[in-house]
Amino acid sequence: MLEFAILGLLQESPMHGYELRKELTAKLGAIRAAISYGSLYPTLRRLQAAGWITEAAETPATAEEVPALTSRRGRVVYKITAEGKERFAQLIAQAGPETYDDTGFGVHFAFFARTDQATRLRILEGRRRKIEERREGLRDVLGRAAERLDAYTLELQRHGLDACEREVRWLEELIANERSGRAPTVPNTGTAGGRREDNSPPPPGETRNERP
């Protein structure tokens, strides 16, 4: 999934490693993109060895762009190759079980704007089935073992069940939009406090009624 995300970002423009890390965080969110240099650079080397990316000319590093405790050596800029573009096209067309789990779905969803409608629909429907299975498992636990669970464990199970139910509703809305040919409405960034307009779809784990 990290390889897929890197290739997708490098399709937009060449980037150096630190910039890639920042863009991954912006694209995927801080939780999914808690990527260290220890995982990012080995992945970049693998992509280079496969011929999917190549190094461009180094550029000088500024103090603002260099993390603490690292040297201010020149930045290696990475760019995608023609083979890398072909590889990204293969990855973005995938809609198997690996795209339904939490990480796989999050990364693929981040690139939905470049994914064809049929693939988007298959991924959304697969994700819904996975979350429905998770929801039923939690219901089963609560139904069979609620009396044996302590109050905090019980509350955690209920929290998980609530999150599943919210995500299923969110996915059903997205699936309905895809089937009708409607794209999610882009939030109006000009609203006070950065609030989304009421007609914009909620993110995972949130419903329209829960918006501030």
Side-chain angles (χ1 to χ4, degrees):
M1 287 299 144
L2 181 55
E3 293 178 356
F4 171 56
I6 290 172
L7 290 174
L9 288 174
L10 291 181
Q11 283 235 95
E12 299 173 1
S13 67
M15 299 181 193
H16 57 81
Y18 183 57
E19 187 178 9
L20 269 171
R21 188 184 179 200
K22 291 195 299 183
E23 290 298 318
L24 286 166
T25 301
K27 190 85 170 174
L28 307 180
I31 296 176
R32 291 193 180 99
I35 298 166
S36 67
Y37 284 92
S39 61
L40 177 59
Y41 283 100
T43 304
L44 289 170
R45 288 195 292 270
R46 287 196 300 272
L47 293 174
Q48 280 185 278
W52 296 331
I53 66 173
T54 187
E55 293 182 5
E58 291 190 359
T59 59
T62 64
E64 292 78 12
E65 294 172 325
V66 177
L69 305 179
T70 59
S71 64
R72 289 185 60 185
R73 61 184 180 181
R75 301 171 302 171
V76 176
V77 176
Y78 301 92
K79 62 180 181 180
I80 194 168
T81 63
E83 293 80 4
K85 292 178 180 179
E86 292 178 3
R87 176 59 177 164
F88 179 75
Q90 294 171 353
L91 292 173
I92 203 170
Q94 292 180 352
E98 70 278 2
T99 66
Y100 309 156
D101 63 27
D102 293 346
T103 301
F105 176 74
V107 174
H108 274 268
F109 192 82
F111 292 96
F112 259 24
R114 286 188 257 167
T115 306
D116 66 81
Q117 183 184 23
T119 302
R120 290 197 304 263
L121 191 56
R122 288 198 300 273
I123 292 174
L124 290 170
E125 290 174 339
R127 175 66 175 180
R128 180 178 63 181
R129 288 193 300 271
K130 188 173 187 67
I131 299 302
E132 285 174 339
E133 291 172 0
R134 187 181 299 174
R135 179 187 63 186
E136 294 311 308
L138 288 168
R139 284 177 176 172
D140 185 57
V141 169
L142 287 169
R144 290 187 298 103
E147 294 180 356
R148 300 195 302 270
L149 299 177
D150 64 78
Y152 293 100
T153 303
L154 184 61
E155 190 62 28
L156 183 62
Q157 296 295 323
R158 287 173 175 165
H159 174 72
L161 179 59
D162 289 344
C164 287
E165 290 175 340
R166 289 194 297 269
E167 184 167 355
V168 167
R169 290 194 295 270
W170 176 71
L171 289 165
E172 287 176 342
E173 181 178 0
L174 289 173
I175 289 168
N177 285 342
E178 290 293 339
R179 288 174 174 165
S180 64
R182 297 194 307 269
T185 304
V186 177
N188 185 348
T189 56
T191 54
R195 293 175 59 186
R196 292 184 295 274
E197 293 294 328
D198 288 341
N199 61 349
S200 63
E206 181 179 324
T207 61
R208 294 186 189 280
N209 294 336
E210 293 171 338
R211 293 178 176 177

